[in-house]
Amino acid sequence: KQKDSRINLKGIAIGNGAIDYPIQYQSYAQFGYDNKLTGEFKYKLGKIMGKMCYWSIKITPSWLWPLWFIMCEANADLVKGWFFHPKINSYDIREGCSKPPLCDTPEDMRLNKFLNMEKVQKEIGVGKMKWRSIYSKIFFKMASDTIINNAPFIEEAIDSGLQVLLFA
């Protein structure tokens, strides 16, 4: 073990960094109703499930994330459709989902192409790693981190002079 565990970073990129799951899952019912994705019954059911989801996230230890995730996703599914076969694209509700469960948008495809350019990869220092904008395998492995508020760490990184790119 080293005494000095600092890493000399040039910058970081954080995707979906602004998500606050307890708030997001509570908001699906209103969002779905306002955008005519659900009717009155699903709206009322979603409001109840949203509150249950909020409190289950707040009281469940992070290592038990599957317990809250299942209930919270069931709430989101009222609006979006089943997780593995969504009826809408979460990034643009005007579009359907062309490649379930990932729903890559044209913007995602352009971003993938750009970040896979040899010149760009060299500049950002990732070697020959293939970039994918949405990857469900990683999503599930990192799901237990979703209830952690990382805002203080991001603020510290920015204050230290680190280049930070936030994108959603």
Side-chain angles (χ1 to χ4, degrees):
K1 288 192 171 192
Q2 297 176 347
K3 287 185 179 186
D4 185 3
S5 61
R6 288 181 286 178
I7 300 171
N8 186 19
L9 293 175
K10 291 182 180 181
I12 57 175
I14 303 169
N16 286 346
I19 292 175
D20 182 340
Y21 280 97
I23 302 300
Q24 179 180 335
Y25 279 114
Q26 273 194 108
S27 303
Y28 275 114
Q30 192 68 53
F31 173 80
Y33 190 73
D34 289 348
N35 289 283
K36 301 184 180 14
L37 299 170
T38 63
E40 188 77 23
F41 175 77
K42 284 186 177 180
Y43 168 72
K44 289 179 179 177
L45 180 60
K47 293 292 272 184
I48 294 166
M49 290 176 70
K51 291 278 185 214
M52 291 170 57
C53 173
Y54 176 86
W55 286 108
S56 67
I57 291 173
K58 292 292 186 186
I59 64 172
T60 305
S62 64
W63 59 274
L64 284 173
W65 70 268
L67 296 178
W68 67 259
F69 182 78
I70 291 167
M71 181 182 31
C72 294
E73 273 302 309
N75 177 40
D77 291 351
L78 291 172
V79 174
K80 299 187 315 177
W82 187 49
F83 182 80
F84 290 105
H85 193 62
K87 64 182 179 184
I88 64 166
N89 184 323
S90 298
Y91 300 99
D92 187 345
I93 64 169
R94 298 166 300 175
E95 296 181 18
C97 181
S98 60
K99 298 179 189 173
L102 303 178
C103 296
D104 285 346
T105 65
E107 291 80 17
D108 292 325
M109 290 179 233
R110 285 193 294 270
L111 179 65
N112 290 348
K113 185 176 181 179
F114 175 74
L115 290 172
N116 282 314
M117 292 172 62
E118 188 176 336
K119 180 180 177 182
V120 173
Q121 289 184 334
K122 183 177 181 185
E123 189 66 33
I124 62 176
V126 296
K128 301 253 184 219
M129 294 175 59
K130 183 166 172 54
W131 169 269
R132 273 193 73 188
S133 59
I134 305 170
Y135 191 49
S136 56
K137 189 178 196 181
I138 292 172
F139 171 82
F140 284 112
K141 287 187 181 230
M142 297 184 70
S144 63
D145 287 345
T146 58
I147 57 173
I148 297 169
N149 179 3
N150 288 302
F153 304 112
I154 296 168
E155 185 177 344
E156 183 179 338
I158 292 169
D159 289 346
S160 73
L162 189 65
Q163 293 182 21
V164 178
L165 169 65
L166 293 172
F167 63 95

